[in-house]
Amino acid sequence: MEDKKQILDQLVDRVNTKIASDEKYRNKLNSVSRSFLVTFDGSDSYNFKLENGSVSPVVPGEIDADISVNVNSDVFQKIMSKEIDAFSAYFEKKIQVKAKLMDKLLLTELLK
């Protein structure tokens, strides 16, 4: 099992790379400003922000975030490796998300 922070770092790198290389994607996210809190296995928490068209580095600790995710680290690894779809994981209650509907859709887009 990879380090939990490394898994999130991969997500941030993937999103930032896509923002840099895909103009349509960049335009879609350019005006979005959201904070994220990801808690693995109910204990290890990390946060990052999407603002000004990029995702900030992942830092440990809890914040009062716009989008809060609680997930088993193995499930998140499978989402990142595309073994399971984030949308399916959500409906199977393998990932819990506290956010407004539009923010949940944004999260699904980021996890693609």
PDB file of all heavy atoms in Angstrom, residues 66-72 75-76 78-80 83-109 111:
ATOM      1  N   ASP A  66     -14.836  22.667   1.825  1.00  0.00           N
ATOM      2  CA  ASP A  66     -16.055  22.660   1.008  1.00  0.00           C
ATOM      3  C   ASP A  66     -16.468  21.228   0.675  1.00  0.00           C
ATOM      4  O   ASP A  66     -17.654  20.915   0.589  1.00  0.00           O
ATOM      5  CB  ASP A  66     -15.816  23.409  -0.316  1.00  0.00           C
ATOM      6  CG  ASP A  66     -15.460  24.863  -0.101  1.00  0.00           C
ATOM      7  OD1 ASP A  66     -16.218  25.560   0.602  1.00  0.00           O
ATOM      8  OD2 ASP A  66     -14.422  25.308  -0.631  1.00  0.00           O
ATOM      9  N   ILE A  67     -15.467  20.370   0.462  1.00  0.00           N
ATOM     10  CA  ILE A  67     -15.705  18.980   0.072  1.00  0.00           C
ATOM     11  C   ILE A  67     -14.924  18.081   1.021  1.00  0.00           C
ATOM     12  O   ILE A  67     -13.698  18.139   1.073  1.00  0.00           O
ATOM     13  CB  ILE A  67     -15.257  18.737  -1.385  1.00  0.00           C
ATOM     14  CG1 ILE A  67     -16.013  19.685  -2.321  1.00  0.00           C
ATOM     15  CG2 ILE A  67     -15.467  17.280  -1.785  1.00  0.00           C
ATOM     16  CD1 ILE A  67     -15.476  19.744  -3.728  1.00  0.00           C
ATOM     17  N   SER A  68     -15.651  17.273   1.791  1.00  0.00           N
ATOM     18  CA  SER A  68     -15.018  16.340   2.729  1.00  0.00           C
ATOM     19  C   SER A  68     -15.253  14.915   2.254  1.00  0.00           C
ATOM     20  O   SER A  68     -16.391  14.534   1.958  1.00  0.00           O
ATOM     21  CB  SER A  68     -15.604  16.500   4.128  1.00  0.00           C
ATOM     22  OG  SER A  68     -15.302  17.776   4.638  1.00  0.00           O
ATOM     23  N   VAL A  69     -14.188  14.151   2.209  1.00  0.00           N
ATOM     24  CA  VAL A  69     -14.245  12.774   1.729  1.00  0.00           C
ATOM     25  C   VAL A  69     -13.708  11.861   2.824  1.00  0.00           C
ATOM     26  O   VAL A  69     -12.663  12.141   3.405  1.00  0.00           O
ATOM     27  CB  VAL A  69     -13.382  12.602   0.451  1.00  0.00           C
ATOM     28  CG1 VAL A  69     -13.383  11.159  -0.011  1.00  0.00           C
ATOM     29  CG2 VAL A  69     -13.857  13.539  -0.647  1.00  0.00           C
ATOM     30  N   ASN A  70     -14.428  10.782   3.085  1.00  0.00           N
ATOM     31  CA  ASN A  70     -13.973   9.761   4.007  1.00  0.00           C
ATOM     32  C   ASN A  70     -13.934   8.465   3.225  1.00  0.00           C
ATOM     33  O   ASN A  70     -14.944   8.056   2.650  1.00  0.00           O
ATOM     34  CB  ASN A  70     -14.911   9.652   5.203  1.00  0.00           C
ATOM     35  CG  ASN A  70     -14.295   8.865   6.347  1.00  0.00           C
ATOM     36  OD1 ASN A  70     -13.349   8.114   6.164  1.00  0.00           O
ATOM     37  ND2 ASN A  70     -14.850   9.042   7.530  1.00  0.00           N
ATOM     38  N   VAL A  71     -12.759   7.846   3.178  1.00  0.00           N
ATOM     39  CA  VAL A  71     -12.598   6.674   2.317  1.00  0.00           C
ATOM     40  C   VAL A  71     -11.560   5.720   2.903  1.00  0.00           C
ATOM     41  O   VAL A  71     -10.623   6.144   3.572  1.00  0.00           O
ATOM     42  CB  VAL A  71     -12.208   7.110   0.876  1.00  0.00           C
ATOM     43  CG1 VAL A  71     -10.866   7.814   0.860  1.00  0.00           C
ATOM     44  CG2 VAL A  71     -12.247   5.966  -0.109  1.00  0.00           C
ATOM     45  N   ASN A  72     -11.737   4.453   2.636  1.00  0.00           N
ATOM     46  CA  ASN A  72     -10.744   3.446   2.969  1.00  0.00           C
ATOM     47  C   ASN A  72      -9.578   3.622   2.004  1.00  0.00           C
ATOM     48  O   ASN A  72      -9.785   3.832   0.808  1.00  0.00           O
ATOM     49  CB  ASN A  72     -11.400   2.061   2.811  1.00  0.00           C
ATOM     50  CG  ASN A  72     -10.422   0.934   2.989  1.00  0.00           C
ATOM     51  OD1 ASN A  72      -9.634   0.645   2.091  1.00  0.00           O
ATOM     52  ND2 ASN A  72     -10.487   0.289   4.135  1.00  0.00           N
ATOM     53  N   VAL A  75      -9.645   1.382  -1.097  1.00  0.00           N
ATOM     54  CA  VAL A  75     -10.662   1.795  -2.068  1.00  0.00           C
ATOM     55  C   VAL A  75     -10.164   2.996  -2.873  1.00  0.00           C
ATOM     56  O   VAL A  75     -10.299   3.034  -4.101  1.00  0.00           O
ATOM     57  CB  VAL A  75     -12.007   2.123  -1.368  1.00  0.00           C
ATOM     58  CG1 VAL A  75     -12.982   2.789  -2.324  1.00  0.00           C
ATOM     59  CG2 VAL A  75     -12.610   0.861  -0.768  1.00  0.00           C
ATOM     60  N   PHE A  76      -9.547   3.965  -2.195  1.00  0.00           N
ATOM     61  CA  PHE A  76      -9.048   5.149  -2.901  1.00  0.00           C
ATOM     62  C   PHE A  76      -7.957   4.761  -3.898  1.00  0.00           C
ATOM     63  O   PHE A  76      -7.910   5.271  -5.012  1.00  0.00           O
ATOM     64  CB  PHE A  76      -8.541   6.203  -1.918  1.00  0.00           C
ATOM     65  CG  PHE A  76      -8.391   7.556  -2.548  1.00  0.00           C
ATOM     66  CD1 PHE A  76      -9.499   8.359  -2.759  1.00  0.00           C
ATOM     67  CD2 PHE A  76      -7.146   8.029  -2.943  1.00  0.00           C
ATOM     68  CE1 PHE A  76      -9.373   9.609  -3.350  1.00  0.00           C
ATOM     69  CE2 PHE A  76      -7.009   9.275  -3.527  1.00  0.00           C
ATOM     70  CZ  PHE A  76      -8.116  10.064  -3.736  1.00  0.00           C
ATOM     71  N   LYS A  78      -7.750   1.990  -5.476  1.00  0.00           N
ATOM     72  CA  LYS A  78      -8.429   1.353  -6.614  1.00  0.00           C
ATOM     73  C   LYS A  78      -9.107   2.393  -7.503  1.00  0.00           C
ATOM     74  O   LYS A  78      -9.154   2.229  -8.727  1.00  0.00           O
ATOM     75  CB  LYS A  78      -9.431   0.314  -6.119  1.00  0.00           C
ATOM     76  CG  LYS A  78      -8.758  -0.920  -5.554  1.00  0.00           C
ATOM     77  CD  LYS A  78      -9.760  -1.920  -5.026  1.00  0.00           C
ATOM     78  CE  LYS A  78      -9.012  -3.127  -4.467  1.00  0.00           C
ATOM     79  NZ  LYS A  78      -9.924  -4.103  -3.868  1.00  0.00           N
ATOM     80  N   ILE A  79      -9.622   3.456  -6.908  1.00  0.00           N
ATOM     81  CA  ILE A  79     -10.212   4.547  -7.699  1.00  0.00           C
ATOM     82  C   ILE A  79      -9.115   5.210  -8.529  1.00  0.00           C
ATOM     83  O   ILE A  79      -9.284   5.458  -9.723  1.00  0.00           O
ATOM     84  CB  ILE A  79     -10.916   5.581  -6.797  1.00  0.00           C
ATOM     85  CG1 ILE A  79     -12.179   4.974  -6.170  1.00  0.00           C
ATOM     86  CG2 ILE A  79     -11.272   6.848  -7.599  1.00  0.00           C
ATOM     87  CD1 ILE A  79     -12.803   5.813  -5.066  1.00  0.00           C
ATOM     88  N   MET A  80      -7.973   5.473  -7.905  1.00  0.00           N
ATOM     89  CA  MET A  80      -6.870   6.132  -8.607  1.00  0.00           C
ATOM     90  C   MET A  80      -6.308   5.272  -9.735  1.00  0.00           C
ATOM     91  O   MET A  80      -5.905   5.785 -10.766  1.00  0.00           O
ATOM     92  CB  MET A  80      -5.747   6.485  -7.616  1.00  0.00           C
ATOM     93  CG  MET A  80      -6.109   7.599  -6.663  1.00  0.00           C
ATOM     94  SD  MET A  80      -6.430   9.161  -7.505  1.00  0.00           S
ATOM     95  CE  MET A  80      -4.849   9.455  -8.269  1.00  0.00           C
ATOM     96  N   GLU A  83      -9.404   0.836 -11.149  1.00  0.00           N
ATOM     97  CA  GLU A  83      -9.992  -0.491 -10.940  1.00  0.00           C
ATOM     98  C   GLU A  83     -11.481  -0.368 -10.634  1.00  0.00           C
ATOM     99  O   GLU A  83     -12.259  -1.239 -10.999  1.00  0.00           O
ATOM    100  CB  GLU A  83      -9.308  -1.215  -9.787  1.00  0.00           C
ATOM    101  CG  GLU A  83      -7.920  -1.717 -10.103  1.00  0.00           C
ATOM    102  CD  GLU A  83      -7.284  -2.392  -8.914  1.00  0.00           C
ATOM    103  OE1 GLU A  83      -7.877  -3.343  -8.370  1.00  0.00           O
ATOM    104  OE2 GLU A  83      -6.183  -1.958  -8.522  1.00  0.00           O
ATOM    105  N   ILE A  84     -11.826   0.712  -9.913  1.00  0.00           N
ATOM    106  CA  ILE A  84     -13.236   0.997  -9.657  1.00  0.00           C
ATOM    107  C   ILE A  84     -13.494   2.472  -9.972  1.00  0.00           C
ATOM    108  O   ILE A  84     -12.587   3.295  -9.917  1.00  0.00           O
ATOM    109  CB  ILE A  84     -13.685   0.656  -8.209  1.00  0.00           C
ATOM    110  CG1 ILE A  84     -12.880   1.418  -7.167  1.00  0.00           C
ATOM    111  CG2 ILE A  84     -13.617  -0.829  -7.958  1.00  0.00           C
ATOM    112  CD1 ILE A  84     -13.364   1.193  -5.746  1.00  0.00           C
ATOM    113  N   ASP A  85     -14.711   2.763 -10.317  1.00  0.00           N
ATOM    114  CA  ASP A  85     -15.136   4.110 -10.673  1.00  0.00           C
ATOM    115  C   ASP A  85     -15.579   4.855  -9.415  1.00  0.00           C
ATOM    116  O   ASP A  85     -16.257   4.279  -8.555  1.00  0.00           O
ATOM    117  CB  ASP A  85     -16.301   3.961 -11.678  1.00  0.00           C
ATOM    118  CG  ASP A  85     -16.930   5.267 -12.015  1.00  0.00           C
ATOM    119  OD1 ASP A  85     -16.320   6.032 -12.783  1.00  0.00           O
ATOM    120  OD2 ASP A  85     -18.044   5.528 -11.526  1.00  0.00           O
ATOM    121  N   ALA A  86     -15.200   6.115  -9.290  1.00  0.00           N
ATOM    122  CA  ALA A  86     -15.546   6.912  -8.103  1.00  0.00           C
ATOM    123  C   ALA A  86     -17.058   7.016  -7.920  1.00  0.00           C
ATOM    124  O   ALA A  86     -17.558   6.946  -6.803  1.00  0.00           O
ATOM    125  CB  ALA A  86     -14.934   8.302  -8.212  1.00  0.00           C
ATOM    126  N   PHE A  87     -17.780   7.168  -9.014  1.00  0.00           N
ATOM    127  CA  PHE A  87     -19.237   7.289  -8.959  1.00  0.00           C
ATOM    128  C   PHE A  87     -19.844   6.004  -8.387  1.00  0.00           C
ATOM    129  O   PHE A  87     -20.703   6.048  -7.514  1.00  0.00           O
ATOM    130  CB  PHE A  87     -19.761   7.580 -10.370  1.00  0.00           C
ATOM    131  CG  PHE A  87     -21.088   8.245 -10.408  1.00  0.00           C
ATOM    132  CD1 PHE A  87     -21.263   9.541  -9.954  1.00  0.00           C
ATOM    133  CD2 PHE A  87     -22.188   7.571 -10.920  1.00  0.00           C
ATOM    134  CE1 PHE A  87     -22.492  10.166 -10.001  1.00  0.00           C
ATOM    135  CE2 PHE A  87     -23.433   8.188 -10.966  1.00  0.00           C
ATOM    136  CZ  PHE A  87     -23.579   9.486 -10.509  1.00  0.00           C
ATOM    137  N   SER A  88     -19.364   4.857  -8.866  1.00  0.00           N
ATOM    138  CA  SER A  88     -19.851   3.566  -8.367  1.00  0.00           C
ATOM    139  C   SER A  88     -19.496   3.391  -6.895  1.00  0.00           C
ATOM    140  O   SER A  88     -20.318   2.926  -6.101  1.00  0.00           O
ATOM    141  CB  SER A  88     -19.241   2.421  -9.170  1.00  0.00           C
ATOM    142  OG  SER A  88     -19.605   2.523 -10.518  1.00  0.00           O
ATOM    143  N   ALA A  89     -18.269   3.746  -6.531  1.00  0.00           N
ATOM    144  CA  ALA A  89     -17.839   3.626  -5.136  1.00  0.00           C
ATOM    145  C   ALA A  89     -18.734   4.453  -4.222  1.00  0.00           C
ATOM    146  O   ALA A  89     -19.083   4.028  -3.124  1.00  0.00           O
ATOM    147  CB  ALA A  89     -16.379   4.050  -4.993  1.00  0.00           C
ATOM    148  N   TYR A  90     -19.130   5.640  -4.695  1.00  0.00           N
ATOM    149  CA  TYR A  90     -20.011   6.507  -3.901  1.00  0.00           C
ATOM    150  C   TYR A  90     -21.370   5.840  -3.687  1.00  0.00           C
ATOM    151  O   TYR A  90     -21.884   5.803  -2.563  1.00  0.00           O
ATOM    152  CB  TYR A  90     -20.170   7.864  -4.591  1.00  0.00           C
ATOM    153  CG  TYR A  90     -21.132   8.781  -3.900  1.00  0.00           C
ATOM    154  CD1 TYR A  90     -20.793   9.421  -2.716  1.00  0.00           C
ATOM    155  CD2 TYR A  90     -22.414   8.994  -4.408  1.00  0.00           C
ATOM    156  CE1 TYR A  90     -21.681  10.258  -2.065  1.00  0.00           C
ATOM    157  CE2 TYR A  90     -23.315   9.832  -3.763  1.00  0.00           C
ATOM    158  CZ  TYR A  90     -22.939  10.454  -2.600  1.00  0.00           C
ATOM    159  OH  TYR A  90     -23.836  11.275  -1.957  1.00  0.00           O
ATOM    160  N   PHE A  91     -21.947   5.314  -4.758  1.00  0.00           N
ATOM    161  CA  PHE A  91     -23.268   4.710  -4.629  1.00  0.00           C
ATOM    162  C   PHE A  91     -23.246   3.382  -3.891  1.00  0.00           C
ATOM    163  O   PHE A  91     -24.254   2.978  -3.317  1.00  0.00           O
ATOM    164  CB  PHE A  91     -23.943   4.574  -6.000  1.00  0.00           C
ATOM    165  CG  PHE A  91     -24.553   5.868  -6.437  1.00  0.00           C
ATOM    166  CD1 PHE A  91     -23.948   6.639  -7.405  1.00  0.00           C
ATOM    167  CD2 PHE A  91     -25.710   6.363  -5.841  1.00  0.00           C
ATOM    168  CE1 PHE A  91     -24.480   7.869  -7.779  1.00  0.00           C
ATOM    169  CE2 PHE A  91     -26.248   7.577  -6.202  1.00  0.00           C
ATOM    170  CZ  PHE A  91     -25.634   8.331  -7.174  1.00  0.00           C
ATOM    171  N   GLU A  92     -22.081   2.736  -3.859  1.00  0.00           N
ATOM    172  CA  GLU A  92     -21.938   1.501  -3.086  1.00  0.00           C
ATOM    173  C   GLU A  92     -21.517   1.805  -1.646  1.00  0.00           C
ATOM    174  O   GLU A  92     -21.186   0.896  -0.881  1.00  0.00           O
ATOM    175  CB  GLU A  92     -20.911   0.587  -3.765  1.00  0.00           C
ATOM    176  CG  GLU A  92     -21.392   0.064  -5.096  1.00  0.00           C
ATOM    177  CD  GLU A  92     -20.292  -0.655  -5.881  1.00  0.00           C
ATOM    178  OE1 GLU A  92     -19.201  -0.900  -5.322  1.00  0.00           O
ATOM    179  OE2 GLU A  92     -20.540  -0.965  -7.055  1.00  0.00           O
ATOM    180  N   LYS A  93     -21.471   3.093  -1.313  1.00  0.00           N
ATOM    181  CA  LYS A  93     -21.116   3.582   0.027  1.00  0.00           C
ATOM    182  C   LYS A  93     -19.700   3.182   0.453  1.00  0.00           C
ATOM    183  O   LYS A  93     -19.407   3.028   1.631  1.00  0.00           O
ATOM    184  CB  LYS A  93     -22.160   3.145   1.060  1.00  0.00           C
ATOM    185  CG  LYS A  93     -23.564   3.625   0.705  1.00  0.00           C
ATOM    186  CD  LYS A  93     -24.426   3.737   1.902  1.00  0.00           C
ATOM    187  CE  LYS A  93     -25.844   4.123   1.585  1.00  0.00           C
ATOM    188  NZ  LYS A  93     -26.064   5.350   0.901  1.00  0.00           N
ATOM    189  N   LYS A  94     -18.810   3.047  -0.527  1.00  0.00           N
ATOM    190  CA  LYS A  94     -17.399   2.760  -0.242  1.00  0.00           C
ATOM    191  C   LYS A  94     -16.621   4.050  -0.038  1.00  0.00           C
ATOM    192  O   LYS A  94     -15.493   4.031   0.414  1.00  0.00           O
ATOM    193  CB  LYS A  94     -16.777   1.958  -1.385  1.00  0.00           C
ATOM    194  CG  LYS A  94     -17.344   0.566  -1.505  1.00  0.00           C
ATOM    195  CD  LYS A  94     -16.695  -0.193  -2.630  1.00  0.00           C
ATOM    196  CE  LYS A  94     -17.270  -1.593  -2.716  1.00  0.00           C
ATOM    197  NZ  LYS A  94     -16.683  -2.334  -3.837  1.00  0.00           N
ATOM    198  N   ILE A  95     -17.245   5.166  -0.412  1.00  0.00           N
ATOM    199  CA  ILE A  95     -16.643   6.482  -0.228  1.00  0.00           C
ATOM    200  C   ILE A  95     -17.766   7.415   0.243  1.00  0.00           C
ATOM    201  O   ILE A  95     -18.858   7.404  -0.323  1.00  0.00           O
ATOM    202  CB  ILE A  95     -15.977   6.977  -1.537  1.00  0.00           C
ATOM    203  CG1 ILE A  95     -15.279   8.315  -1.338  1.00  0.00           C
ATOM    204  CG2 ILE A  95     -16.939   7.028  -2.691  1.00  0.00           C
ATOM    205  CD1 ILE A  95     -14.428   8.744  -2.538  1.00  0.00           C
ATOM    206  N   GLN A  96     -17.525   8.143   1.317  1.00  0.00           N
ATOM    207  CA  GLN A  96     -18.524   9.089   1.828  1.00  0.00           C
ATOM    208  C   GLN A  96     -18.051  10.507   1.494  1.00  0.00           C
ATOM    209  O   GLN A  96     -16.899  10.846   1.743  1.00  0.00           O
ATOM    210  CB  GLN A  96     -18.713   8.960   3.338  1.00  0.00           C
ATOM    211  CG  GLN A  96     -19.376   7.673   3.782  1.00  0.00           C
ATOM    212  CD  GLN A  96     -18.408   6.518   3.879  1.00  0.00           C
ATOM    213  OE1 GLN A  96     -17.296   6.672   4.347  1.00  0.00           O
ATOM    214  NE2 GLN A  96     -18.832   5.356   3.416  1.00  0.00           N
ATOM    215  N   VAL A  97     -18.988  11.279   0.947  1.00  0.00           N
ATOM    216  CA  VAL A  97     -18.666  12.646   0.545  1.00  0.00           C
ATOM    217  C   VAL A  97     -19.677  13.595   1.168  1.00  0.00           C
ATOM    218  O   VAL A  97     -20.880  13.406   1.024  1.00  0.00           O
ATOM    219  CB  VAL A  97     -18.690  12.798  -0.991  1.00  0.00           C
ATOM    220  CG1 VAL A  97     -18.350  14.221  -1.390  1.00  0.00           C
ATOM    221  CG2 VAL A  97     -17.747  11.808  -1.652  1.00  0.00           C
ATOM    222  N   LYS A  98     -19.162  14.617   1.868  1.00  0.00           N
ATOM    223  CA  LYS A  98     -20.015  15.681   2.395  1.00  0.00           C
ATOM    224  C   LYS A  98     -19.732  16.924   1.571  1.00  0.00           C
ATOM    225  O   LYS A  98     -18.637  17.493   1.653  1.00  0.00           O
ATOM    226  CB  LYS A  98     -19.717  15.951   3.863  1.00  0.00           C
ATOM    227  CG  LYS A  98     -20.173  14.865   4.792  1.00  0.00           C
ATOM    228  CD  LYS A  98     -19.921  15.244   6.233  1.00  0.00           C
ATOM    229  CE  LYS A  98     -20.289  14.112   7.160  1.00  0.00           C
ATOM    230  NZ  LYS A  98     -19.902  14.404   8.534  1.00  0.00           N
ATOM    231  N   ALA A  99     -20.703  17.291   0.743  1.00  0.00           N
ATOM    232  CA  ALA A  99     -20.539  18.455  -0.131  1.00  0.00           C
ATOM    233  C   ALA A  99     -21.867  18.746  -0.805  1.00  0.00           C
ATOM    234  O   ALA A  99     -22.772  17.911  -0.802  1.00  0.00           O
ATOM    235  CB  ALA A  99     -19.472  18.175  -1.193  1.00  0.00           C
ATOM    236  N   LYS A 100     -21.957  19.925  -1.390  1.00  0.00           N
ATOM    237  CA  LYS A 100     -23.123  20.263  -2.200  1.00  0.00           C
ATOM    238  C   LYS A 100     -23.086  19.406  -3.461  1.00  0.00           C
ATOM    239  O   LYS A 100     -22.021  18.948  -3.882  1.00  0.00           O
ATOM    240  CB  LYS A 100     -23.099  21.746  -2.572  1.00  0.00           C
ATOM    241  CG  LYS A 100     -23.230  22.659  -1.368  1.00  0.00           C
ATOM    242  CD  LYS A 100     -23.133  24.099  -1.789  1.00  0.00           C
ATOM    243  CE  LYS A 100     -23.215  24.992  -0.554  1.00  0.00           C
ATOM    244  NZ  LYS A 100     -22.953  26.390  -0.874  1.00  0.00           N
ATOM    245  N   LEU A 101     -24.238  19.223  -4.091  1.00  0.00           N
ATOM    246  CA  LEU A 101     -24.327  18.374  -5.280  1.00  0.00           C
ATOM    247  C   LEU A 101     -23.326  18.781  -6.353  1.00  0.00           C
ATOM    248  O   LEU A 101     -22.623  17.938  -6.911  1.00  0.00           O
ATOM    249  CB  LEU A 101     -25.752  18.385  -5.847  1.00  0.00           C
ATOM    250  CG  LEU A 101     -25.942  17.569  -7.120  1.00  0.00           C
ATOM    251  CD1 LEU A 101     -25.574  16.107  -6.904  1.00  0.00           C
ATOM    252  CD2 LEU A 101     -27.353  17.700  -7.636  1.00  0.00           C
ATOM    253  N   MET A 102     -23.228  20.072  -6.658  1.00  0.00           N
ATOM    254  CA  MET A 102     -22.303  20.518  -7.704  1.00  0.00           C
ATOM    255  C   MET A 102     -20.852  20.198  -7.327  1.00  0.00           C
ATOM    256  O   MET A 102     -20.039  19.870  -8.194  1.00  0.00           O
ATOM    257  CB  MET A 102     -22.467  22.012  -7.980  1.00  0.00           C
ATOM    258  CG  MET A 102     -23.807  22.373  -8.621  1.00  0.00           C
ATOM    259  SD  MET A 102     -24.151  21.454 -10.146  1.00  0.00           S
ATOM    260  CE  MET A 102     -22.964  22.192 -11.236  1.00  0.00           C
ATOM    261  N   ASP A 103     -20.534  20.262  -6.045  1.00  0.00           N
ATOM    262  CA  ASP A 103     -19.185  19.929  -5.597  1.00  0.00           C
ATOM    263  C   ASP A 103     -18.926  18.426  -5.693  1.00  0.00           C
ATOM    264  O   ASP A 103     -17.806  18.001  -5.981  1.00  0.00           O
ATOM    265  CB  ASP A 103     -18.943  20.429  -4.174  1.00  0.00           C
ATOM    266  CG  ASP A 103     -18.822  21.945  -4.100  1.00  0.00           C
ATOM    267  OD1 ASP A 103     -18.554  22.575  -5.155  1.00  0.00           O
ATOM    268  OD2 ASP A 103     -18.998  22.496  -3.003  1.00  0.00           O
ATOM    269  N   LYS A 104     -19.963  17.627  -5.457  1.00  0.00           N
ATOM    270  CA  LYS A 104     -19.814  16.173  -5.631  1.00  0.00           C
ATOM    271  C   LYS A 104     -19.524  15.856  -7.097  1.00  0.00           C
ATOM    272  O   LYS A 104     -18.693  14.996  -7.401  1.00  0.00           O
ATOM    273  CB  LYS A 104     -21.072  15.442  -5.154  1.00  0.00           C
ATOM    274  CG  LYS A 104     -21.225  15.430  -3.655  1.00  0.00           C
ATOM    275  CD  LYS A 104     -22.490  14.712  -3.230  1.00  0.00           C
ATOM    276  CE  LYS A 104     -22.634  14.748  -1.718  1.00  0.00           C
ATOM    277  NZ  LYS A 104     -23.848  14.096  -1.249  1.00  0.00           N
ATOM    278  N   LEU A 105     -20.195  16.547  -7.990  1.00  0.00           N
ATOM    279  CA  LEU A 105     -19.946  16.346  -9.418  1.00  0.00           C
ATOM    280  C   LEU A 105     -18.532  16.793  -9.791  1.00  0.00           C
ATOM    281  O   LEU A 105     -17.858  16.146 -10.595  1.00  0.00           O
ATOM    282  CB  LEU A 105     -20.989  17.087 -10.258  1.00  0.00           C
ATOM    283  CG  LEU A 105     -22.418  16.566 -10.114  1.00  0.00           C
ATOM    284  CD1 LEU A 105     -23.403  17.475 -10.836  1.00  0.00           C
ATOM    285  CD2 LEU A 105     -22.539  15.142 -10.625  1.00  0.00           C
ATOM    286  N   LEU A 106     -18.073  17.883  -9.203  1.00  0.00           N
ATOM    287  CA  LEU A 106     -16.713  18.344  -9.422  1.00  0.00           C
ATOM    288  C   LEU A 106     -15.707  17.283  -8.957  1.00  0.00           C
ATOM    289  O   LEU A 106     -14.748  16.966  -9.680  1.00  0.00           O
ATOM    290  CB  LEU A 106     -16.466  19.654  -8.670  1.00  0.00           C
ATOM    291  CG  LEU A 106     -15.018  20.134  -8.606  1.00  0.00           C
ATOM    292  CD1 LEU A 106     -14.505  20.530  -9.988  1.00  0.00           C
ATOM    293  CD2 LEU A 106     -14.898  21.328  -7.650  1.00  0.00           C
ATOM    294  N   LEU A 107     -15.933  16.713  -7.797  1.00  0.00           N
ATOM    295  CA  LEU A 107     -15.052  15.679  -7.268  1.00  0.00           C
ATOM    296  C   LEU A 107     -15.005  14.484  -8.201  1.00  0.00           C
ATOM    297  O   LEU A 107     -13.935  13.954  -8.500  1.00  0.00           O
ATOM    298  CB  LEU A 107     -15.503  15.259  -5.873  1.00  0.00           C
ATOM    299  CG  LEU A 107     -14.665  14.187  -5.200  1.00  0.00           C
ATOM    300  CD1 LEU A 107     -13.236  14.675  -4.981  1.00  0.00           C
ATOM    301  CD2 LEU A 107     -15.297  13.762  -3.884  1.00  0.00           C
ATOM    302  N   THR A 108     -16.159  14.069  -8.708  1.00  0.00           N
ATOM    303  CA  THR A 108     -16.214  12.961  -9.655  1.00  0.00           C
ATOM    304  C   THR A 108     -15.382  13.272 -10.890  1.00  0.00           C
ATOM    305  O   THR A 108     -14.640  12.433 -11.379  1.00  0.00           O
ATOM    306  CB  THR A 108     -17.679  12.649 -10.049  1.00  0.00           C
ATOM    307  OG1 THR A 108     -18.418  12.338  -8.882  1.00  0.00           O
ATOM    308  CG2 THR A 108     -17.763  11.491 -11.017  1.00  0.00           C
ATOM    309  N   GLU A 109     -15.466  14.505 -11.359  1.00  0.00           N
ATOM    310  CA  GLU A 109     -14.686  14.939 -12.531  1.00  0.00           C
ATOM    311  C   GLU A 109     -13.186  14.876 -12.235  1.00  0.00           C
ATOM    312  O   GLU A 109     -12.396  14.426 -13.070  1.00  0.00           O
ATOM    313  CB  GLU A 109     -15.096  16.365 -12.908  1.00  0.00           C
ATOM    314  CG  GLU A 109     -14.373  16.925 -14.097  1.00  0.00           C
ATOM    315  CD  GLU A 109     -14.784  16.316 -15.417  1.00  0.00           C
ATOM    316  OE1 GLU A 109     -15.915  15.812 -15.533  1.00  0.00           O
ATOM    317  OE2 GLU A 109     -13.953  16.331 -16.342  1.00  0.00           O
ATOM    318  N   LEU A 111     -11.672  12.942 -10.149  1.00  0.00           N
ATOM    319  CA  LEU A 111     -11.231  11.560  -9.937  1.00  0.00           C
ATOM    320  C   LEU A 111     -11.251  10.708 -11.195  1.00  0.00           C
ATOM    321  O   LEU A 111     -10.847   9.563 -11.170  1.00  0.00           O
ATOM    322  CB  LEU A 111     -12.077  10.899  -8.846  1.00  0.00           C
ATOM    323  CG  LEU A 111     -11.864  11.416  -7.432  1.00  0.00           C
ATOM    324  CD1 LEU A 111     -12.888  10.821  -6.480  1.00  0.00           C
ATOM    325  CD2 LEU A 111     -10.454  11.123  -6.955  1.00  0.00           C
TER     326      LEU A 111
END
